[in-house]
Amino acid sequence: MEGKFVFCARREAGTRMARPASARRAVRGETFRMAEAYAKADGKPSGTGYTRDMISVLRALPVQQIRLLVFDLDGTLIDSRKDLVNSVNAMLVEFGRQALPEEIIASYIGDGAGMLVRRALGDPHNEALVEDALEHFLTWYRAHKLDHTHVYAGVLEALAALRPIADGGGERSMAVLTNKPVGPSVAICEALELSPYFFQIYGGGELWAGE
């Protein structure tokens, strides 16, 4: 079962958590609902007794104090899986390799273009081969990065809603931090009308190799 938690923590025996009662009820209610779903998926007993023992929220997130939001790109703001898969398979064919199923290549995504190519090649020890294949992959991807890539439904509306701070508090700064190379990242954000929401788009190689 897939899902993303924002702030969840396991409560240790004997600890006390100070937070407003209203915030506690609202946040814990949603946390318990998510925990129940995870418990059911894992075959664990359901009921608030189980979830109350396992998960509790330490404190409500101070939303009004958040001034900067940083987003990943692939799999968070955009669905780029098909174009990445096609680009990997185009590279493999050029190198005389057999194309791989989409699900296999998708499992290699997430640690940068270099690791994606290395895994698709079977993790060879020939570094020259990996570097050459990476260049072929990037050349293909730059030309086909927008064949199927699209913004997830609701993302643009969510960004518009997240930017202003309530009660006249101004606007939050937002940025993208991705291990995708910066050139394609910027081009994709511009083409899909994401760029106006971000003061900066940081791509792979600018700060560090991974996210």
Side-chain angles (χ1 to χ4, degrees):
M1 180 175 182
E2 295 182 356
K4 293 184 178 179
F5 286 90
V6 178
F7 279 95
C8 288
R10 188 185 301 268
R11 180 170 63 181
E12 302 297 338
T15 59
R16 297 184 63 186
M17 295 164 286
R19 58 191 181 275
S22 59
R24 179 175 66 250
R25 286 192 297 269
V27 179
R28 287 182 67 181
E30 181 60 26
T31 302
F32 292 152
R33 283 191 290 273
M34 291 191 294
E36 285 294 298
Y38 274 80
K40 183 177 180 180
D42 291 338
K44 299 294 193 307
S46 61
T48 55
Y50 171 77
T51 53
R52 287 181 193 278
D53 288 339
M54 293 300 294
I55 296 179
S56 185
V57 176
L58 293 178
R59 62 180 179 178
L61 188 66
V63 178
Q64 293 302 103
Q65 299 178 25
I66 297 176
R67 300 289 173 174
L68 172 66
L69 294 173
V70 181
F71 298 86
D72 189 12
L73 186 58
D74 299 277
T76 301
L77 301 175
I78 65 170
D79 182 352
S80 55
R81 170 170 159 163
K82 187 67 175 178
D83 289 333
L84 288 169
V85 168
N86 289 348
S87 297
V88 168
N89 275 332
M91 174 273 295
L92 290 174
V93 170
E94 287 184 15
F95 279 74
R97 307 291 184 96
Q98 185 175 359
L100 296 173
E102 181 171 327
E103 291 298 326
I104 296 296
I105 296 176
S107 71
Y108 298 156
I109 297 173
D111 295 304
M115 188 58 69
L116 171 60
V117 168
R118 179 180 294 278
R119 289 167 176 163
L121 290 172
D123 196 16
H125 296 293
N126 187 338
E127 295 301 322
L129 170 64
V130 175
E131 292 179 10
D132 191 17
L134 176 59
E135 286 303 315
H136 280 74
F137 163 78
L138 290 174
T139 297
W140 182 276
Y141 185 64
R142 290 186 186 105
H144 297 276
K145 60 185 174 294
L146 288 165
D147 287 357
H148 303 280
T149 295
H150 58 275
V151 177
Y152 285 116
V155 163
L156 295 176
E157 295 81 0
L159 292 174
L162 286 169
R163 184 158 56 181
I165 300 174
D167 301 323
E171 291 189 344
R172 294 184 178 90
S173 297
M174 298 193 292
V176 168
L177 175 60
T178 174
N179 50 27
K180 182 192 290 293
V182 64
S185 299
V186 170
I188 289 172
C189 287
E190 290 178 350
L192 299 182
E193 301 181 353
L194 288 166
S195 293
Y197 294 99
F198 304 115
F199 74 89
Q200 185 67 47
I201 298 169
Y202 297 101
E206 288 189 315
L207 298 178
W208 49 76
E211 294 174 7

mmCIF file of all heavy atoms in Angstrom, residues 73 77-78 151 155-156 159 176 188-198 201:
data_model
loop_
_atom_site.group_PDB
_atom_site.id
_atom_site.type_symbol
_atom_site.label_atom_id
_atom_site.label_comp_id
_atom_site.label_asym_id
_atom_site.label_seq_id
_atom_site.Cartn_x
_atom_site.Cartn_y
_atom_site.Cartn_z
ATOM 1 N N LEU A 73 10.694 16.626 -8.157
ATOM 2 C CA LEU A 73 10.021 16.819 -9.444
ATOM 3 C C LEU A 73 9.356 15.525 -9.919
ATOM 4 O O LEU A 73 8.135 15.405 -9.905
ATOM 5 C CB LEU A 73 11.018 17.326 -10.480
ATOM 6 C CG LEU A 73 10.455 17.719 -11.855
ATOM 7 C CD1 LEU A 73 9.390 18.794 -11.725
ATOM 8 C CD2 LEU A 73 11.585 18.180 -12.776
ATOM 9 N N LEU A 77 5.618 16.153 -8.615
ATOM 10 C CA LEU A 77 4.893 17.167 -9.379
ATOM 11 C C LEU A 77 4.499 16.656 -10.760
ATOM 12 O O LEU A 77 3.441 17.011 -11.277
ATOM 13 C CB LEU A 77 5.746 18.434 -9.528
ATOM 14 C CG LEU A 77 6.186 19.127 -8.232
ATOM 15 C CD1 LEU A 77 7.127 20.287 -8.564
ATOM 16 C CD2 LEU A 77 4.985 19.618 -7.443
ATOM 17 N N ILE A 78 5.351 15.841 -11.345
ATOM 18 C CA ILE A 78 5.107 15.366 -12.709
ATOM 19 C C ILE A 78 5.212 13.855 -12.796
ATOM 20 O O ILE A 78 5.923 13.214 -12.021
ATOM 21 C CB ILE A 78 6.102 15.995 -13.717
ATOM 22 C CG1 ILE A 78 7.545 15.539 -13.410
ATOM 23 C CG2 ILE A 78 5.997 17.517 -13.705
ATOM 24 C CD1 ILE A 78 8.547 15.920 -14.475
ATOM 25 N N VAL A 151 1.867 17.031 -15.786
ATOM 26 C CA VAL A 151 1.700 17.400 -14.385
ATOM 27 C C VAL A 151 0.582 16.555 -13.797
ATOM 28 O O VAL A 151 -0.453 16.318 -14.432
ATOM 29 C CB VAL A 151 1.347 18.896 -14.259
ATOM 30 C CG1 VAL A 151 1.109 19.278 -12.802
ATOM 31 C CG2 VAL A 151 2.460 19.746 -14.846
ATOM 32 N N VAL A 155 -1.975 19.429 -9.109
ATOM 33 C CA VAL A 155 -0.709 20.010 -8.663
ATOM 34 C C VAL A 155 -0.701 21.526 -8.825
ATOM 35 O O VAL A 155 -0.314 22.268 -7.909
ATOM 36 C CB VAL A 155 0.478 19.382 -9.417
ATOM 37 C CG1 VAL A 155 1.731 20.242 -9.284
ATOM 38 C CG2 VAL A 155 0.753 17.987 -8.883
ATOM 39 N N LEU A 156 -1.106 22.028 -9.986
ATOM 40 C CA LEU A 156 -1.093 23.473 -10.207
ATOM 41 C C LEU A 156 -2.010 24.191 -9.222
ATOM 42 O O LEU A 156 -1.661 25.252 -8.684
ATOM 43 C CB LEU A 156 -1.496 23.795 -11.648
ATOM 44 C CG LEU A 156 -0.534 23.306 -12.729
ATOM 45 C CD1 LEU A 156 -1.098 23.596 -14.112
ATOM 46 C CD2 LEU A 156 0.840 23.968 -12.574
ATOM 47 N N LEU A 159 -0.266 24.183 -5.775
ATOM 48 C CA LEU A 159 0.815 25.160 -5.673
ATOM 49 C C LEU A 159 0.265 26.571 -5.502
ATOM 50 O O LEU A 159 0.798 27.373 -4.722
ATOM 51 C CB LEU A 159 1.700 25.083 -6.919
ATOM 52 C CG LEU A 159 2.524 23.810 -7.078
ATOM 53 C CD1 LEU A 159 3.229 23.806 -8.417
ATOM 54 C CD2 LEU A 159 3.535 23.654 -5.945
ATOM 55 N N VAL A 176 12.268 23.783 -6.582
ATOM 56 C CA VAL A 176 12.351 22.370 -6.972
ATOM 57 C C VAL A 176 13.770 21.890 -6.721
ATOM 58 O O VAL A 176 14.741 22.587 -7.058
ATOM 59 C CB VAL A 176 11.978 22.177 -8.456
ATOM 60 C CG1 VAL A 176 12.349 20.767 -8.923
ATOM 61 C CG2 VAL A 176 10.502 22.429 -8.680
ATOM 62 N N ILE A 188 11.230 21.229 -18.732
ATOM 63 C CA ILE A 188 9.955 20.583 -18.417
ATOM 64 C C ILE A 188 9.075 21.502 -17.593
ATOM 65 O O ILE A 188 7.872 21.653 -17.863
ATOM 66 C CB ILE A 188 10.199 19.251 -17.680
ATOM 67 C CG1 ILE A 188 10.773 18.216 -18.652
ATOM 68 C CG2 ILE A 188 8.909 18.727 -17.048
ATOM 69 C CD1 ILE A 188 11.229 16.934 -17.989
ATOM 70 N N CYS A 189 9.650 22.140 -16.588
ATOM 71 C CA CYS A 189 8.868 23.044 -15.740
ATOM 72 C C CYS A 189 8.318 24.218 -16.538
ATOM 73 O O CYS A 189 7.184 24.663 -16.308
ATOM 74 C CB CYS A 189 9.714 23.547 -14.577
ATOM 75 S SG CYS A 189 10.021 22.302 -13.306
ATOM 76 N N GLU A 190 9.106 24.716 -17.466
ATOM 77 C CA GLU A 190 8.634 25.817 -18.309
ATOM 78 C C GLU A 190 7.510 25.355 -19.227
ATOM 79 O O GLU A 190 6.480 26.034 -19.366
ATOM 80 C CB GLU A 190 9.796 26.389 -19.116
ATOM 81 C CG GLU A 190 10.809 27.159 -18.260
ATOM 82 C CD GLU A 190 11.977 27.665 -19.076
ATOM 83 O OE1 GLU A 190 12.103 27.258 -20.265
ATOM 84 O OE2 GLU A 190 12.776 28.452 -18.535
ATOM 85 N N ALA A 191 7.683 24.209 -19.852
ATOM 86 C CA ALA A 191 6.683 23.718 -20.796
ATOM 87 C C ALA A 191 5.362 23.376 -20.116
ATOM 88 O O ALA A 191 4.290 23.556 -20.696
ATOM 89 C CB ALA A 191 7.221 22.499 -21.546
ATOM 90 N N LEU A 192 5.440 22.889 -18.881
ATOM 91 C CA LEU A 192 4.235 22.462 -18.168
ATOM 92 C C LEU A 192 3.686 23.538 -17.232
ATOM 93 O O LEU A 192 2.830 23.262 -16.397
ATOM 94 C CB LEU A 192 4.536 21.175 -17.374
ATOM 95 C CG LEU A 192 4.976 19.974 -18.214
ATOM 96 C CD1 LEU A 192 5.190 18.752 -17.330
ATOM 97 C CD2 LEU A 192 3.954 19.666 -19.304
ATOM 98 N N GLU A 193 4.211 24.757 -17.384
ATOM 99 C CA GLU A 193 3.720 25.936 -16.648
ATOM 100 C C GLU A 193 3.896 25.812 -15.136
ATOM 101 O O GLU A 193 3.110 26.342 -14.349
ATOM 102 C CB GLU A 193 2.247 26.206 -16.994
ATOM 103 C CG GLU A 193 2.030 26.453 -18.477
ATOM 104 C CD GLU A 193 0.583 26.754 -18.830
ATOM 105 O OE1 GLU A 193 -0.287 26.637 -17.939
ATOM 106 O OE2 GLU A 193 0.329 27.110 -19.982
ATOM 107 N N LEU A 194 4.971 25.138 -14.736
ATOM 108 C CA LEU A 194 5.315 25.037 -13.325
ATOM 109 C C LEU A 194 6.281 26.137 -12.886
ATOM 110 O O LEU A 194 6.296 26.535 -11.714
ATOM 111 C CB LEU A 194 5.949 23.675 -13.028
ATOM 112 C CG LEU A 194 5.023 22.459 -13.058
ATOM 113 C CD1 LEU A 194 5.848 21.175 -13.079
ATOM 114 C CD2 LEU A 194 4.086 22.465 -11.869
ATOM 115 N N SER A 195 7.090 26.624 -13.807
ATOM 116 C CA SER A 195 8.153 27.572 -13.477
ATOM 117 C C SER A 195 7.700 28.807 -12.708
ATOM 118 O O SER A 195 8.406 29.255 -11.797
ATOM 119 C CB SER A 195 8.888 27.999 -14.754
ATOM 120 O OG SER A 195 9.594 26.909 -15.305
ATOM 121 N N PRO A 196 6.542 29.410 -13.036
ATOM 122 C CA PRO A 196 6.153 30.625 -12.319
ATOM 123 C C PRO A 196 5.998 30.443 -10.808
ATOM 124 O O PRO A 196 6.038 31.434 -10.069
ATOM 125 C CB PRO A 196 4.809 30.991 -12.964
ATOM 126 C CG PRO A 196 4.875 30.406 -14.331
ATOM 127 C CD PRO A 196 5.620 29.126 -14.156
ATOM 128 N N TYR A 197 5.862 29.232 -10.356
ATOM 129 C CA TYR A 197 5.673 29.004 -8.922
ATOM 130 C C TYR A 197 6.992 28.914 -8.159
ATOM 131 O O TYR A 197 6.987 28.968 -6.923
ATOM 132 C CB TYR A 197 4.875 27.716 -8.696
ATOM 133 C CG TYR A 197 3.461 27.803 -9.194
ATOM 134 C CD1 TYR A 197 3.103 27.259 -10.430
ATOM 135 C CD2 TYR A 197 2.478 28.450 -8.448
ATOM 136 C CE1 TYR A 197 1.798 27.339 -10.902
ATOM 137 C CE2 TYR A 197 1.172 28.543 -8.911
ATOM 138 C CZ TYR A 197 0.840 27.989 -10.135
ATOM 139 O OH TYR A 197 -0.446 28.087 -10.599
ATOM 140 N N PHE A 198 8.120 28.767 -8.863
ATOM 141 C CA PHE A 198 9.387 28.483 -8.195
ATOM 142 C C PHE A 198 10.421 29.568 -8.456
ATOM 143 O O PHE A 198 10.611 30.000 -9.594
ATOM 144 C CB PHE A 198 9.925 27.133 -8.668
ATOM 145 C CG PHE A 198 8.946 26.007 -8.465
ATOM 146 C CD1 PHE A 198 8.397 25.331 -9.542
ATOM 147 C CD2 PHE A 198 8.560 25.638 -7.186
ATOM 148 C CE1 PHE A 198 7.488 24.302 -9.357
ATOM 149 C CE2 PHE A 198 7.652 24.612 -6.983
ATOM 150 C CZ PHE A 198 7.108 23.943 -8.072
ATOM 151 N N ILE A 201 15.056 26.269 -9.678
ATOM 152 C CA ILE A 201 14.960 24.843 -9.965
ATOM 153 C C ILE A 201 16.372 24.281 -9.921
ATOM 154 O O ILE A 201 17.209 24.591 -10.765
ATOM 155 C CB ILE A 201 14.316 24.585 -11.341
ATOM 156 C CG1 ILE A 201 12.890 25.131 -11.359
ATOM 157 C CG2 ILE A 201 14.321 23.088 -11.668
ATOM 158 C CD1 ILE A 201 12.259 25.174 -12.732
#
